[in-house]
Amino acid sequence: MRHVYIRGMIGIVWLAVAVVSIGSGNVAMAALYVILSGVFLYSAYGIWKKERDKKGGK
């Protein structure tokens, strides 16, 4: 379960970096950070769902 928390936190950090990057005017890098954030958050969600299904939760 720690993997879910760590990946979720990293995804949130990348999302915050994207917001700061947009604020500084670097839109190209912000797009990269948003994609990177999405990958980490999607990965965390996938692991969370797999663990939940393994335990029998719905």
Side-chain angles (χ1 to χ4, degrees), residues 17-55:
V17 169
V19 169
V20 170
S21 184
I22 288 173
S24 68
N26 197 352
V27 178
M29 290 303 289
L32 175 67
Y33 298 147
V34 167
I35 291 169
L36 195 58
S37 172
V39 168
F40 272 101
L41 292 173
Y42 182 76
S43 173
Y45 175 74
I47 293 171
W48 173 76
K49 190 170 181 174
K50 188 189 307 183
E51 289 291 324
R52 186 184 67 164
D53 290 343
K54 191 185 299 184
K55 292 181 182 178

